[in-house]
Amino acid sequence: MARWSEAKLMDYRLYLVTDDKIANNELYDIVRSGVKGGVTIVQLREKTADGQLFYEKAKILQSILKPLDIPLIINDRVDIALAVGAAGVHVGQDDLPCAVVRKIVPDDMVVGISVSNVEEAKLAQEQGANYVGIGSVFPTTSKSDADLLAPGMLEEIIAAIDIPAVAIGGIQLENIKMLKNRGLAGVSVVSAISKSKNPEKSARDLLQLFL
Amino acid sequence: MARWSEAKLMDYRLYLVTDDKIANNELYDIVRSGVKGGVTIVQLREKTADGQLFYEKAKILQSILKPLDIPLIINDRVDIALAVGAAGVHVGQDDLPCAVVRKIVPDDMVVGISVSNVEEAKLAQEQGANYVGIGSVFPTTSKSDADLLAPGMLEEIIAAIDIPAVAIGGIQLENIKMLKNRGLAGVSVVSAISKSKNPEKSARDLLQLFL
């Protein structure tokens, strides 16, 4: 059995990725509220913070999420994932390669990777990724460098791999229904929860519309 | 015996920190030439590169340095140090805390930290740092956020700790003699070698003036 298959099964249904443009205290409130509404997994994404600040935020999120048994995934910085004992790490195509990450993390740490075509998705699976994030499925403003998926590509990728797939990019209450019954393990959102006036209600509504 | 004391003894005498504003191929030539001239240890410092690029550069440097038995130190990114099996990692005061780094790296990996006062230096030693980088000893243009040390501070720090100390910041052929016989394990340079027309000769001259 492949070593990465030991990574525990995750509930990817409603995957919240944090918005690094939001102030810290507000961020923690949003996460707490989102989880109350049904968020099943949380990724801390920091694109500008120094290591220490990133680590401090990860520690606080871990202290909020661990008692609730909600997995914390760290974006990009494998060292910070190791330092806080996160459930997983998520890398992009410009970050440390998946095969390298797999070598330096414990067998039970989940490794996820962003993909936008079949080739990247197959390679991710080969290299031991536990899940892929596929996107952008819709236009987004949360991630400036995200390109929109080619038409039909979401289905092609899902058909090409066996590991769980999560859709990401511009997913909102208005369009989430389009992702229902497509073979996705979950949907990943940023602003649909982070910019909501009621993150708990938005999480509940998103989950209800997706399932 | 403290676990970090197991980290192997390094030769810190002429410690080259790479300049991330220099093109890759030129960088490797500078490092090769510097080592020929007497550089004893090399730190790869990347402040803007994505994880993948940083990793690729680290791998190439490791392939150059390892056969020559010259230790490679990775700046900030502990995960990249782990990924390439670097001899060590160097963190700043805004990076992952030293005590945290110590926990996620093997016992024989060297951990260094930048300090600029006695309190930081003592804490670094307590937390398992193998060496400290003290600076800036002179005004520098290589690191925009580097503050000049207070007068007498270099001596105070060296007297306060037992681990090796390396001076950094604006060290050039013209001023390196001022650092001789101060109890330093070595001197760390960026532009004195990287911006030299003859890095090999500059390294040789620097070492001769320091020793």
Side-chain angles (χ1 to χ4, degrees):
Chain A
M1 194 188 292
R3 60 200 285 261
W4 51 85
S5 66
E6 292 161 28
K8 59 183 164 182
L9 285 169
M10 294 272 167
D11 181 350
Y12 295 102
R13 283 176 300 168
L14 189 53
Y15 187 142
L16 173 63
V17 178
T18 63
D19 182 344
D20 62 357
K21 290 177 283 296
I22 281 175
N24 295 5
N25 284 343
E26 207 189 327
L27 169 74
Y28 307 132
D29 287 343
I30 290 166
V31 169
R32 276 191 201 95
S33 170
V35 168
K36 238 183 241 178
V39 163
T40 58
I41 180 167
V42 177
Q43 179 187 131
L44 176 60
R45 188 168 175 276
E46 287 291 329
K47 282 304 176 195
T48 54
D50 281 325
Q52 186 172 30
L53 179 61
F54 195 164
Y55 168 71
E56 295 297 340
K57 288 176 87 163
K59 261 205 312 190
I60 292 171
L61 275 186
Q62 183 72 311
S63 74
I64 294 169
L65 297 172
K66 197 144 192 172
L68 303 169
D69 213 19
I70 301 289
L72 173 66
I73 308 289
I74 301 294
N75 182 284
D76 180 18
R77 291 284 304 246
V78 183
D79 43 6
I80 291 174
L82 292 169
V84 301
V89 63
H90 186 96
V91 289
Q93 293 290 326
D94 294 330
D95 299 331
L96 271 179
C98 198
V100 174
V101 175
R102 197 70 270 171
K103 276 184 208 160
I104 60 173
V105 301
D107 289 355
D108 64 351
M109 188 177 278
V110 162
V111 178
I113 180 162
S114 302
V115 301
S116 59
N117 59 52
V118 170
E119 198 182 7
E120 286 172 356
K122 283 183 156 177
L123 185 66
Q125 175 168 298
E126 261 173 53
Q127 294 195 336
N130 297 95
Y131 77 92
V132 293
I134 308 173
S136 286
V137 288
F138 301 117
T140 174
T141 54
S142 302
K143 197 165 176 253
S144 54
D145 58 345
D147 288 328
L148 203 59
L149 274 188
M153 187 52 79
L154 180 68
E155 293 74 11
E156 274 191 55
I157 294 173
I158 293 171
I161 54 171
D162 302 315
I163 54 177
V166 177
I168 187 163
I171 301 172
Q172 301 286 348
L173 281 169
E174 296 69 35
N175 59 27
I176 194 169
K177 268 195 157 174
M178 294 171 63
L179 298 169
K180 212 176 153 156
N181 302 325
R182 301 280 196 115
L184 286 165
V187 282
S188 187
V189 298
V190 184
S191 65
I193 289 180
S194 290
K195 289 196 177 145
S196 164
K197 282 178 186 157
N198 187 340
E200 179 180 343
K201 184 175 182 313
S202 294
R204 189 168 296 124
D205 292 348
L206 286 163
L207 200 54
Q208 196 168 23
L209 287 166
F210 174 65
L211 295 183
Chain B
M1 196 187 292
R3 61 200 285 262
W4 51 85
S5 65
E6 292 161 28
K8 57 184 165 181
L9 285 169
M10 294 274 166
D11 181 349
Y12 295 101
R13 284 175 299 167
L14 187 56
Y15 188 143
L16 173 63
V17 178
T18 64
D19 182 345
D20 62 357
K21 290 178 283 294
I22 280 175
N24 294 5
N25 283 343
E26 207 189 328
L27 169 73
Y28 308 132
D29 286 344
I30 289 165
V31 169
R32 275 192 202 94
S33 169
V35 168
K36 238 183 241 178
V39 163
T40 57
I41 180 167
V42 177
Q43 179 187 132
L44 176 60
R45 187 167 176 277
E46 287 290 329
K47 282 304 174 194
T48 55
D50 281 325
Q52 186 173 30
L53 180 61
F54 196 164
Y55 168 70
E56 296 298 339
K57 287 175 86 163
K59 262 205 312 191
I60 294 171
L61 275 187
Q62 183 71 312
S63 75
I64 293 169
L65 297 172
K66 196 144 192 172
L68 303 170
D69 213 19
I70 300 290
L72 173 67
I73 308 289
I74 301 294
N75 183 283
D76 181 17
R77 292 283 305 248
V78 183
D79 43 6
I80 291 173
L82 292 170
V84 301
V89 63
H90 185 96
V91 289
Q93 293 290 327
D94 293 330
D95 298 332
L96 270 179
C98 197
V100 174
V101 175
R102 197 70 269 172
K103 276 185 208 159
I104 61 174
V105 301
D107 290 354
D108 63 350
M109 188 178 276
V110 162
V111 178
I113 181 163
S114 302
V115 301
S116 58
N117 58 52
V118 170
E119 199 182 5
E120 287 172 356
K122 281 183 157 178
L123 185 66
Q125 177 167 297
E126 260 173 54
Q127 294 195 337
N130 297 95
Y131 76 91
V132 293
I134 308 175
S136 285
V137 287
F138 301 116
T140 172
T141 53
S142 302
K143 198 165 176 252
S144 53
D145 58 345
D147 287 329
L148 202 59
L149 274 188
M153 185 53 78
L154 180 69
E155 292 73 11
E156 275 191 54
I157 295 175
I158 293 171
I161 55 171
D162 301 316
I163 54 178
V166 177
I168 187 165
I171 301 172
Q172 302 285 350
L173 281 170
E174 295 70 34
N175 58 26
I176 195 169
K177 269 196 159 175
M178 294 171 62
L179 299 169
K180 211 175 153 156
N181 301 326
R182 301 281 196 114
L184 286 165
V187 283
S188 188
V189 297
V190 184
S191 63
I193 288 179
S194 289
K195 290 195 176 143
S196 163
K197 281 178 189 160
N198 187 341
E200 179 180 343
K201 183 176 183 312
S202 294
R204 188 169 296 123
D205 292 347
L206 284 163
L207 200 54
Q208 195 167 23
L209 286 166
F210 174 65
L211 294 184

